[in-house]
Amino acid sequence: QVQLVESGGGLVQAGGSLRLSCAASGNIFSINVMGWYRQAPGKQRELVASMHSGGSTNYADSVKGRFTISRDNAKNTVYLQMNVLKPEDTAIYYCRLYRPPGWETPQNYWGQGTQVTVSS
């Protein structure tokens, strides 16, 4: 019912920047949380950053000061500006839209993922 399409991944050298985009379509409620998660080989998927439709944000400690999440609610799009990239940022980055359990009409949707590779 909700589709998320990511774009902007690629190969970049350490210290470089990338900007990821995720456009949502379908049955989108106005109040939701959209976020970015990543999964590196051999590791669990982890939260990178998330943003409530009301504006509050949450970042992993490892990306604070380097990454910035933003969203355009009118376009149902969330962005992740990634600066000063490090090799340890290499992962598949996934977009997520969710309304937590306990909310009316919970939702949990994931994008297909986009590869980010940071070389030394």
Side-chain angles (χ1 to χ4, degrees), residues 21-38:
S21 299
C22 173
S25 60
N27 185 223
I28 302 165
F29 289 83
S30 296
I31 301 175
N32 60 59
V33 180
M34 296 185 74
W36 292 94
Y37 295 71
R38 67 187 181 188

PDB file of all heavy atoms in Angstrom, residues 21-38:
ATOM      1  N   SER A  21      17.869  10.142  -1.305  1.00  0.00           N
ATOM      2  CA  SER A  21      16.481  10.567  -1.349  1.00  0.00           C
ATOM      3  C   SER A  21      15.582   9.347  -1.277  1.00  0.00           C
ATOM      4  O   SER A  21      15.939   8.272  -1.753  1.00  0.00           O
ATOM      5  CB  SER A  21      16.174  11.333  -2.643  1.00  0.00           C
ATOM      6  OG  SER A  21      16.948  12.501  -2.746  1.00  0.00           O
ATOM      7  N   CYS A  22      14.426   9.524  -0.690  1.00  0.00           N
ATOM      8  CA  CYS A  22      13.434   8.460  -0.617  1.00  0.00           C
ATOM      9  C   CYS A  22      12.060   9.073  -0.805  1.00  0.00           C
ATOM     10  O   CYS A  22      11.628   9.891   0.013  1.00  0.00           O
ATOM     11  CB  CYS A  22      13.519   7.736   0.721  1.00  0.00           C
ATOM     12  SG  CYS A  22      12.192   6.536   1.000  1.00  0.00           S
ATOM     13  N   ALA A  23      11.401   8.673  -1.859  1.00  0.00           N
ATOM     14  CA  ALA A  23      10.066   9.172  -2.164  1.00  0.00           C
ATOM     15  C   ALA A  23       9.031   8.107  -1.836  1.00  0.00           C
ATOM     16  O   ALA A  23       9.147   6.965  -2.287  1.00  0.00           O
ATOM     17  CB  ALA A  23       9.967   9.565  -3.631  1.00  0.00           C
ATOM     18  N   ALA A  24       8.053   8.484  -1.057  1.00  0.00           N
ATOM     19  CA  ALA A  24       6.981   7.579  -0.666  1.00  0.00           C
ATOM     20  C   ALA A  24       5.724   7.867  -1.475  1.00  0.00           C
ATOM     21  O   ALA A  24       5.422   9.015  -1.804  1.00  0.00           O
ATOM     22  CB  ALA A  24       6.680   7.716   0.821  1.00  0.00           C
ATOM     23  N   SER A  25       5.012   6.810  -1.773  1.00  0.00           N
ATOM     24  CA  SER A  25       3.744   6.955  -2.474  1.00  0.00           C
ATOM     25  C   SER A  25       2.765   5.912  -1.950  1.00  0.00           C
ATOM     26  O   SER A  25       3.169   4.888  -1.408  1.00  0.00           O
ATOM     27  CB  SER A  25       3.927   6.811  -3.984  1.00  0.00           C
ATOM     28  OG  SER A  25       4.453   5.536  -4.318  1.00  0.00           O
ATOM     29  N   GLY A  26       1.505   6.186  -2.126  1.00  0.00           N
ATOM     30  CA  GLY A  26       0.476   5.264  -1.682  1.00  0.00           C
ATOM     31  C   GLY A  26      -0.335   5.815  -0.528  1.00  0.00           C
ATOM     32  O   GLY A  26      -0.592   7.010  -0.450  1.00  0.00           O
ATOM     33  N   ASN A  27      -0.718   4.930   0.368  1.00  0.00           N
ATOM     34  CA  ASN A  27      -1.585   5.286   1.490  1.00  0.00           C
ATOM     35  C   ASN A  27      -0.761   5.838   2.640  1.00  0.00           C
ATOM     36  O   ASN A  27      -0.477   5.143   3.622  1.00  0.00           O
ATOM     37  CB  ASN A  27      -2.397   4.059   1.924  1.00  0.00           C
ATOM     38  CG  ASN A  27      -3.410   4.380   3.002  1.00  0.00           C
ATOM     39  OD1 ASN A  27      -3.563   3.621   3.956  1.00  0.00           O
ATOM     40  ND2 ASN A  27      -4.099   5.501   2.861  1.00  0.00           N
ATOM     41  N   ILE A  28      -0.403   7.104   2.523  1.00  0.00           N
ATOM     42  CA  ILE A  28       0.469   7.750   3.495  1.00  0.00           C
ATOM     43  C   ILE A  28      -0.348   8.614   4.436  1.00  0.00           C
ATOM     44  O   ILE A  28      -1.036   9.535   4.000  1.00  0.00           O
ATOM     45  CB  ILE A  28       1.533   8.597   2.791  1.00  0.00           C
ATOM     46  CG1 ILE A  28       2.356   7.729   1.838  1.00  0.00           C
ATOM     47  CG2 ILE A  28       2.424   9.286   3.811  1.00  0.00           C
ATOM     48  CD1 ILE A  28       3.174   8.522   0.862  1.00  0.00           C
ATOM     49  N   PHE A  29      -0.252   8.316   5.709  1.00  0.00           N
ATOM     50  CA  PHE A  29      -0.884   9.154   6.722  1.00  0.00           C
ATOM     51  C   PHE A  29      -0.004  10.360   6.999  1.00  0.00           C
ATOM     52  O   PHE A  29       1.224  10.287   6.916  1.00  0.00           O
ATOM     53  CB  PHE A  29      -1.102   8.354   8.012  1.00  0.00           C
ATOM     54  CG  PHE A  29      -2.167   7.307   7.905  1.00  0.00           C
ATOM     55  CD1 PHE A  29      -1.897   6.065   7.363  1.00  0.00           C
ATOM     56  CD2 PHE A  29      -3.451   7.567   8.352  1.00  0.00           C
ATOM     57  CE1 PHE A  29      -2.878   5.095   7.259  1.00  0.00           C
ATOM     58  CE2 PHE A  29      -4.450   6.606   8.259  1.00  0.00           C
ATOM     59  CZ  PHE A  29      -4.159   5.372   7.714  1.00  0.00           C
ATOM     60  N   SER A  30      -0.626  11.458   7.331  1.00  0.00           N
ATOM     61  CA  SER A  30       0.110  12.697   7.544  1.00  0.00           C
ATOM     62  C   SER A  30       1.104  12.588   8.698  1.00  0.00           C
ATOM     63  O   SER A  30       2.193  13.159   8.632  1.00  0.00           O
ATOM     64  CB  SER A  30      -0.857  13.853   7.810  1.00  0.00           C
ATOM     65  OG  SER A  30      -1.671  14.107   6.681  1.00  0.00           O
ATOM     66  N   ILE A  31       0.728  11.880   9.732  1.00  0.00           N
ATOM     67  CA  ILE A  31       1.592  11.722  10.897  1.00  0.00           C
ATOM     68  C   ILE A  31       2.322  10.392  10.789  1.00  0.00           C
ATOM     69  O   ILE A  31       1.703   9.327  10.793  1.00  0.00           O
ATOM     70  CB  ILE A  31       0.799  11.805  12.209  1.00  0.00           C
ATOM     71  CG1 ILE A  31       0.082  13.156  12.307  1.00  0.00           C
ATOM     72  CG2 ILE A  31       1.725  11.594  13.401  1.00  0.00           C
ATOM     73  CD1 ILE A  31      -0.830  13.284  13.509  1.00  0.00           C
ATOM     74  N   ASN A  32       3.626  10.469  10.685  1.00  0.00           N
ATOM     75  CA  ASN A  32       4.422   9.263  10.551  1.00  0.00           C
ATOM     76  C   ASN A  32       5.871   9.572  10.896  1.00  0.00           C
ATOM     77  O   ASN A  32       6.237  10.722  11.138  1.00  0.00           O
ATOM     78  CB  ASN A  32       4.323   8.676   9.136  1.00  0.00           C
ATOM     79  CG  ASN A  32       4.799   9.636   8.065  1.00  0.00           C
ATOM     80  OD1 ASN A  32       5.953  10.077   8.079  1.00  0.00           O
ATOM     81  ND2 ASN A  32       3.921   9.955   7.117  1.00  0.00           N
ATOM     82  N   VAL A  33       6.656   8.538  10.916  1.00  0.00           N
ATOM     83  CA  VAL A  33       8.096   8.675  11.069  1.00  0.00           C
ATOM     84  C   VAL A  33       8.749   8.086   9.828  1.00  0.00           C
ATOM     85  O   VAL A  33       8.392   6.988   9.402  1.00  0.00           O
ATOM     86  CB  VAL A  33       8.619   7.952  12.327  1.00  0.00           C
ATOM     87  CG1 VAL A  33      10.129   8.118  12.458  1.00  0.00           C
ATOM     88  CG2 VAL A  33       7.916   8.484  13.567  1.00  0.00           C
ATOM     89  N   MET A  34       9.678   8.801   9.261  1.00  0.00           N
ATOM     90  CA  MET A  34      10.476   8.282   8.168  1.00  0.00           C
ATOM     91  C   MET A  34      11.930   8.278   8.602  1.00  0.00           C
ATOM     92  O   MET A  34      12.374   9.188   9.302  1.00  0.00           O
ATOM     93  CB  MET A  34      10.302   9.107   6.896  1.00  0.00           C
ATOM     94  CG  MET A  34       8.886   9.066   6.341  1.00  0.00           C
ATOM     95  SD  MET A  34       8.703   9.933   4.753  1.00  0.00           S
ATOM     96  CE  MET A  34       9.510   8.762   3.645  1.00  0.00           C
ATOM     97  N   GLY A  35      12.630   7.257   8.198  1.00  0.00           N
ATOM     98  CA  GLY A  35      14.000   7.156   8.642  1.00  0.00           C
ATOM     99  C   GLY A  35      14.880   6.405   7.678  1.00  0.00           C
ATOM    100  O   GLY A  35      14.412   5.814   6.702  1.00  0.00           O
ATOM    101  N   TRP A  36      16.166   6.458   7.983  1.00  0.00           N
ATOM    102  CA  TRP A  36      17.182   5.755   7.233  1.00  0.00           C
ATOM    103  C   TRP A  36      17.865   4.753   8.139  1.00  0.00           C
ATOM    104  O   TRP A  36      18.254   5.077   9.265  1.00  0.00           O
ATOM    105  CB  TRP A  36      18.222   6.721   6.665  1.00  0.00           C
ATOM    106  CG  TRP A  36      17.672   7.621   5.604  1.00  0.00           C
ATOM    107  CD1 TRP A  36      17.181   8.873   5.747  1.00  0.00           C
ATOM    108  CD2 TRP A  36      17.565   7.295   4.212  1.00  0.00           C
ATOM    109  NE1 TRP A  36      16.773   9.375   4.538  1.00  0.00           N
ATOM    110  CE2 TRP A  36      16.992   8.428   3.578  1.00  0.00           C
ATOM    111  CE3 TRP A  36      17.888   6.182   3.446  1.00  0.00           C
ATOM    112  CZ2 TRP A  36      16.741   8.463   2.210  1.00  0.00           C
ATOM    113  CZ3 TRP A  36      17.635   6.214   2.081  1.00  0.00           C
ATOM    114  CH2 TRP A  36      17.072   7.349   1.481  1.00  0.00           C
ATOM    115  N   TYR A  37      18.011   3.557   7.644  1.00  0.00           N
ATOM    116  CA  TYR A  37      18.704   2.484   8.323  1.00  0.00           C
ATOM    117  C   TYR A  37      19.786   1.962   7.400  1.00  0.00           C
ATOM    118  O   TYR A  37      19.730   2.144   6.189  1.00  0.00           O
ATOM    119  CB  TYR A  37      17.743   1.356   8.684  1.00  0.00           C
ATOM    120  CG  TYR A  37      16.689   1.738   9.699  1.00  0.00           C
ATOM    121  CD1 TYR A  37      15.651   2.598   9.365  1.00  0.00           C
ATOM    122  CD2 TYR A  37      16.732   1.238  10.996  1.00  0.00           C
ATOM    123  CE1 TYR A  37      14.686   2.963  10.286  1.00  0.00           C
ATOM    124  CE2 TYR A  37      15.768   1.587  11.926  1.00  0.00           C
ATOM    125  CZ  TYR A  37      14.749   2.446  11.565  1.00  0.00           C
ATOM    126  OH  TYR A  37      13.796   2.793  12.488  1.00  0.00           O
ATOM    127  N   ARG A  38      20.757   1.304   7.970  1.00  0.00           N
ATOM    128  CA  ARG A  38      21.796   0.725   7.132  1.00  0.00           C
ATOM    129  C   ARG A  38      22.181  -0.648   7.653  1.00  0.00           C
ATOM    130  O   ARG A  38      22.047  -0.941   8.841  1.00  0.00           O
ATOM    131  CB  ARG A  38      23.020   1.632   7.052  1.00  0.00           C
ATOM    132  CG  ARG A  38      23.783   1.803   8.356  1.00  0.00           C
ATOM    133  CD  ARG A  38      24.868   2.853   8.190  1.00  0.00           C
ATOM    134  NE  ARG A  38      25.638   3.037   9.411  1.00  0.00           N
ATOM    135  CZ  ARG A  38      26.534   4.001   9.586  1.00  0.00           C
ATOM    136  NH1 ARG A  38      26.773   4.874   8.600  1.00  0.00           N
ATOM    137  NH2 ARG A  38      27.189   4.093  10.733  1.00  0.00           N
TER     138      ARG A  38
END
